Short mmCIF file of all heavy atoms in Angstrom, two decimals:
data_model
loop_
_atom_site.label_atom_id
_atom_site.label_comp_id
_atom_site.label_asym_id
_atom_site.label_seq_id
_atom_site.Cartn_x
_atom_site.Cartn_y
_atom_site.Cartn_z
N ALA A 1 0.82 -1.22 0.00
CA ALA A 1 0.00 0.00 0.00
C ALA A 1 0.85 1.26 0.00
O ALA A 1 0.37 2.34 -0.37
CB ALA A 1 -0.93 0.00 1.21
N ALA A 2 2.12 1.15 0.40
CA ALA A 2 3.01 2.32 0.46
C ALA A 2 4.03 2.34 -0.67
O ALA A 2 4.77 3.31 -0.81
CB ALA A 2 3.74 2.33 1.80
N GLN A 3 4.05 1.31 -1.49
CA GLN A 3 5.04 1.26 -2.57
C GLN A 3 4.77 2.35 -3.60
O GLN A 3 3.63 2.75 -3.81
CB GLN A 3 5.06 -0.13 -3.20
CG GLN A 3 5.62 -1.15 -2.22
CD GLN A 3 5.57 -2.58 -2.75
OE1 GLN A 3 5.18 -2.85 -3.87
NE2 GLN A 3 5.97 -3.51 -1.90
N GLY A 4 5.85 2.85 -4.18
CA GLY A 4 5.73 3.93 -5.15
C GLY A 4 5.73 5.31 -4.53
O GLY A 4 5.59 6.31 -5.23
N ARG A 5 5.89 5.40 -3.23
CA ARG A 5 5.88 6.68 -2.51
C ARG A 5 7.28 7.16 -2.14
O ARG A 5 7.44 8.18 -1.47
CB ARG A 5 5.02 6.58 -1.24
CG ARG A 5 3.59 6.15 -1.45
CD ARG A 5 2.67 7.29 -1.81
NE ARG A 5 2.73 8.43 -0.93
CZ ARG A 5 2.01 8.61 0.16
NH1 ARG A 5 1.14 7.70 0.54
NH2 ARG A 5 2.15 9.71 0.89
N GLY A 6 8.33 6.37 -2.49
CA GLY A 6 9.70 6.76 -2.18
C GLY A 6 10.26 6.18 -0.90
O GLY A 6 11.39 6.48 -0.53
N LEU A 7 9.47 5.36 -0.21
CA LEU A 7 9.94 4.82 1.06
C LEU A 7 11.13 3.88 0.87
O LEU A 7 12.10 3.96 1.63
CB LEU A 7 8.81 4.11 1.80
CG LEU A 7 9.19 3.52 3.16
CD1 LEU A 7 9.68 4.61 4.11
CD2 LEU A 7 8.00 2.78 3.76
N GLY A 8 11.08 2.99 -0.09
CA GLY A 8 12.18 2.07 -0.32
C GLY A 8 13.48 2.80 -0.58
O GLY A 8 14.52 2.48 0.01
N VAL A 9 13.44 3.80 -1.45
CA VAL A 9 14.64 4.60 -1.75
C VAL A 9 15.13 5.29 -0.47
O VAL A 9 16.33 5.30 -0.18
CB VAL A 9 14.35 5.63 -2.85
CG1 VAL A 9 15.49 6.63 -2.99
CG2 VAL A 9 14.10 4.93 -4.18
N ALA A 10 14.22 5.85 0.30
CA ALA A 10 14.61 6.56 1.52
C ALA A 10 15.26 5.60 2.53
O ALA A 10 16.22 5.96 3.21
CB ALA A 10 13.40 7.25 2.15
N MET A 11 14.76 4.37 2.61
CA MET A 11 15.32 3.41 3.55
C MET A 11 16.71 2.96 3.10
O MET A 11 17.62 2.83 3.93
CB MET A 11 14.37 2.23 3.74
CG MET A 11 13.07 2.65 4.43
SD MET A 11 11.94 1.30 4.75
CE MET A 11 12.78 0.55 6.17
N VAL A 12 16.88 2.73 1.81
CA VAL A 12 18.21 2.37 1.31
C VAL A 12 19.17 3.53 1.51
O VAL A 12 20.32 3.34 1.93
CB VAL A 12 18.14 1.93 -0.17
CG1 VAL A 12 19.54 1.76 -0.75
CG2 VAL A 12 17.34 0.64 -0.31
N GLN A 13 18.73 4.75 1.26
CA GLN A 13 19.59 5.92 1.47
C GLN A 13 19.98 6.06 2.93
O GLN A 13 21.11 6.44 3.24
CB GLN A 13 18.91 7.20 0.96
CG GLN A 13 19.82 8.41 0.96
CD GLN A 13 21.05 8.22 0.07
OE1 GLN A 13 20.92 7.90 -1.11
NE2 GLN A 13 22.23 8.42 0.63
N TRP A 14 19.06 5.76 3.82
CA TRP A 14 19.39 5.78 5.25
C TRP A 14 20.56 4.84 5.52
O TRP A 14 21.50 5.20 6.25
CB TRP A 14 18.17 5.37 6.08
CG TRP A 14 18.37 5.51 7.55
CD1 TRP A 14 17.96 6.56 8.34
CD2 TRP A 14 19.06 4.60 8.44
NE1 TRP A 14 18.35 6.34 9.65
CE2 TRP A 14 19.02 5.16 9.73
CE3 TRP A 14 19.69 3.38 8.25
CZ2 TRP A 14 19.60 4.52 10.83
CZ3 TRP A 14 20.28 2.75 9.35
CH2 TRP A 14 20.22 3.32 10.62
N CYS A 15 20.53 3.64 4.93
CA CYS A 15 21.61 2.66 5.12
C CYS A 15 22.92 3.17 4.52
O CYS A 15 23.99 3.00 5.13
CB CYS A 15 21.24 1.32 4.49
SG CYS A 15 19.89 0.47 5.34
N ILE A 16 22.86 3.78 3.36
CA ILE A 16 24.06 4.33 2.72
C ILE A 16 24.67 5.40 3.62
O ILE A 16 25.88 5.39 3.88
CB ILE A 16 23.73 4.88 1.32
CG1 ILE A 16 23.36 3.74 0.37
CG2 ILE A 16 24.89 5.70 0.77
CD1 ILE A 16 22.74 4.19 -0.94
N ASP A 17 23.84 6.31 4.11
CA ASP A 17 24.33 7.38 4.98
C ASP A 17 24.92 6.82 6.27
O ASP A 17 25.98 7.25 6.71
CB ASP A 17 23.21 8.37 5.29
CG ASP A 17 22.71 9.13 4.08
OD1 ASP A 17 23.43 9.17 3.04
OD2 ASP A 17 21.60 9.68 4.15
N ARG A 18 24.26 5.86 6.86
CA ARG A 18 24.74 5.26 8.11
C ARG A 18 26.05 4.52 7.88
O ARG A 18 26.98 4.61 8.70
CB ARG A 18 23.68 4.33 8.68
CG ARG A 18 24.09 3.56 9.90
CD ARG A 18 24.28 4.46 11.13
NE ARG A 18 24.71 3.67 12.26
CZ ARG A 18 23.89 3.19 13.18
NH1 ARG A 18 22.59 3.44 13.12
NH2 ARG A 18 24.35 2.46 14.15
N ALA A 19 26.17 3.79 6.76
CA ALA A 19 27.41 3.07 6.46
C ALA A 19 28.57 4.05 6.32
O ALA A 19 29.67 3.81 6.82
CB ALA A 19 27.25 2.23 5.20
N ARG A 20 28.32 5.17 5.65
CA ARG A 20 29.35 6.22 5.55
C ARG A 20 29.74 6.72 6.93
O ARG A 20 30.92 6.86 7.25
CB ARG A 20 28.85 7.37 4.69
CG ARG A 20 28.96 7.13 3.23
CD ARG A 20 28.74 8.42 2.44
NE ARG A 20 28.72 8.11 1.03
CZ ARG A 20 27.67 8.26 0.24
NH1 ARG A 20 26.54 8.77 0.70
NH2 ARG A 20 27.74 7.94 -1.04
N ASP A 21 28.75 7.01 7.75
CA ASP A 21 29.02 7.49 9.11
C ASP A 21 29.80 6.46 9.92
O ASP A 21 30.60 6.81 10.78
CB ASP A 21 27.71 7.82 9.85
CG ASP A 21 27.01 9.05 9.31
OD1 ASP A 21 27.62 9.82 8.53
OD2 ASP A 21 25.83 9.24 9.67
N ASP A 22 29.57 5.17 9.63
CA ASP A 22 30.26 4.08 10.32
C ASP A 22 31.66 3.83 9.74
O ASP A 22 32.36 2.93 10.20
CB ASP A 22 29.45 2.78 10.23
CG ASP A 22 28.19 2.80 11.08
OD1 ASP A 22 28.06 3.69 11.96
OD2 ASP A 22 27.33 1.92 10.87
N GLY A 23 32.03 4.58 8.69
CA GLY A 23 33.34 4.40 8.08
C GLY A 23 33.44 3.21 7.14
O GLY A 23 34.54 2.77 6.81
N ARG A 24 32.31 2.71 6.69
CA ARG A 24 32.30 1.55 5.77
C ARG A 24 32.53 2.02 4.35
O ARG A 24 32.07 3.09 3.95
CB ARG A 24 30.98 0.80 5.87
CG ARG A 24 30.73 0.23 7.24
CD ARG A 24 31.75 -0.82 7.54
NE ARG A 24 31.70 -1.24 8.92
CZ ARG A 24 32.66 -1.92 9.50
NH1 ARG A 24 33.74 -2.24 8.82
NH2 ARG A 24 32.55 -2.26 10.74
N ARG A 25 33.25 1.22 3.59
CA ARG A 25 33.58 1.57 2.20
C ARG A 25 32.53 1.11 1.21
O ARG A 25 32.47 1.61 0.09
CB ARG A 25 34.93 0.99 1.84
CG ARG A 25 36.05 1.59 2.71
CD ARG A 25 37.37 1.06 2.33
NE ARG A 25 37.56 1.39 0.91
CZ ARG A 25 38.72 1.39 0.31
NH1 ARG A 25 39.80 1.09 0.98
NH2 ARG A 25 38.82 1.69 -0.96
N ARG A 26 31.73 0.15 1.61
CA ARG A 26 30.72 -0.37 0.68
C ARG A 26 29.61 -1.06 1.46
O ARG A 26 29.78 -1.39 2.63
CB ARG A 26 31.34 -1.30 -0.36
CG ARG A 26 31.89 -2.57 0.17
CD ARG A 26 32.83 -3.26 -0.85
NE ARG A 26 34.05 -3.62 -0.16
CZ ARG A 26 35.18 -2.90 -0.12
NH1 ARG A 26 35.26 -1.78 -0.78
NH2 ARG A 26 36.21 -3.30 0.56
N ILE A 27 28.51 -1.27 0.76
CA ILE A 27 27.38 -2.05 1.29
C ILE A 27 27.22 -3.24 0.36
O ILE A 27 27.14 -3.08 -0.86
CB ILE A 27 26.08 -1.23 1.34
CG1 ILE A 27 26.24 -0.06 2.30
CG2 ILE A 27 24.91 -2.11 1.75
CD1 ILE A 27 25.02 0.84 2.36
N LEU A 28 27.15 -4.41 0.95
CA LEU A 28 26.92 -5.64 0.20
C LEU A 28 25.59 -6.22 0.62
O LEU A 28 25.26 -6.25 1.81
CB LEU A 28 28.04 -6.65 0.48
CG LEU A 28 29.42 -6.15 0.10
CD1 LEU A 28 30.27 -6.03 1.33
CD2 LEU A 28 30.04 -7.04 -0.93
N ILE A 29 24.82 -6.69 -0.35
CA ILE A 29 23.53 -7.29 -0.05
C ILE A 29 23.33 -8.51 -0.94
O ILE A 29 23.92 -8.61 -2.01
CB ILE A 29 22.36 -6.30 -0.24
CG1 ILE A 29 22.41 -5.67 -1.64
CG2 ILE A 29 22.37 -5.25 0.85
CD1 ILE A 29 21.26 -4.73 -1.94
N HIS A 30 22.53 -9.44 -0.47
CA HIS A 30 22.12 -10.59 -1.27
C HIS A 30 20.74 -10.31 -1.84
O HIS A 30 19.91 -9.67 -1.19
CB HIS A 30 22.00 -11.85 -0.41
CG HIS A 30 23.29 -12.40 0.06
ND1 HIS A 30 24.25 -12.88 -0.79
CD2 HIS A 30 23.78 -12.57 1.30
CE1 HIS A 30 25.28 -13.33 -0.10
NE2 HIS A 30 25.02 -13.15 1.18
N THR A 31 20.50 -10.80 -3.05
CA THR A 31 19.15 -10.81 -3.58
C THR A 31 18.90 -12.18 -4.19
O THR A 31 19.81 -12.99 -4.34
CB THR A 31 18.91 -9.74 -4.67
OG1 THR A 31 19.75 -10.02 -5.79
CG2 THR A 31 19.17 -8.35 -4.15
N LEU A 32 17.67 -12.42 -4.53
CA LEU A 32 17.28 -13.63 -5.25
C LEU A 32 16.91 -13.23 -6.67
O LEU A 32 16.54 -12.08 -6.92
CB LEU A 32 16.06 -14.28 -4.59
CG LEU A 32 16.21 -14.72 -3.14
CD1 LEU A 32 14.86 -15.14 -2.60
CD2 LEU A 32 17.20 -15.85 -3.05
N ALA A 33 16.97 -14.18 -7.59
CA ALA A 33 16.58 -13.90 -8.97
C ALA A 33 15.16 -13.34 -9.03
O ALA A 33 14.86 -12.48 -9.87
CB ALA A 33 16.72 -15.16 -9.82
N SER A 34 14.29 -13.78 -8.13
CA SER A 34 12.89 -13.35 -8.15
C SER A 34 12.69 -11.95 -7.57
O SER A 34 11.59 -11.41 -7.63
CB SER A 34 12.03 -14.36 -7.39
OG SER A 34 12.44 -14.45 -6.05
N MET A 35 13.72 -11.35 -7.02
CA MET A 35 13.60 -10.00 -6.40
C MET A 35 13.88 -8.91 -7.43
O MET A 35 14.66 -7.98 -7.19
CB MET A 35 14.57 -9.88 -5.23
CG MET A 35 14.25 -10.77 -4.07
SD MET A 35 15.49 -10.56 -2.75
CE MET A 35 14.68 -11.40 -1.41
N ARG A 36 13.19 -8.95 -8.54
CA ARG A 36 13.44 -7.98 -9.62
C ARG A 36 13.14 -6.54 -9.20
O ARG A 36 13.89 -5.63 -9.52
CB ARG A 36 12.67 -8.38 -10.86
CG ARG A 36 13.26 -9.62 -11.52
CD ARG A 36 12.44 -10.09 -12.72
NE ARG A 36 12.93 -11.35 -13.22
CZ ARG A 36 12.60 -12.55 -12.73
NH1 ARG A 36 11.75 -12.62 -11.72
NH2 ARG A 36 13.08 -13.65 -13.24
N ALA A 37 12.05 -6.34 -8.51
CA ALA A 37 11.71 -4.98 -8.07
C ALA A 37 12.77 -4.45 -7.11
O ALA A 37 13.18 -3.29 -7.20
CB ALA A 37 10.33 -4.95 -7.43
#
């Protein structure tokens, strides 16, 4: 019901900002082939 409102992008950006603050050089994540969106 909330998709398409920018929440997903905002949550990923939160992680990017936090990783930078934590001194991390990169973020690694796993996905599945079915996770196209």
Side-chain angles (χ1 to χ4, degrees):
Q3 291 176 4
R5 303 276 309 270
L7 181 60
V9 170
M11 294 183 76
V12 171
Q13 188 60 54
W14 186 99
C15 292
I16 292 168
D17 294 342
R18 175 69 181 264
R20 279 193 186 115
D21 290 347
D22 289 346
R24 298 294 170 196
R25 297 182 58 162
R26 66 196 131 265
I27 297 177
L28 300 116
I29 53 177
H30 289 297
T31 64
L32 301 171
S34 61
M35 293 179 168
R36 288 177 187 84

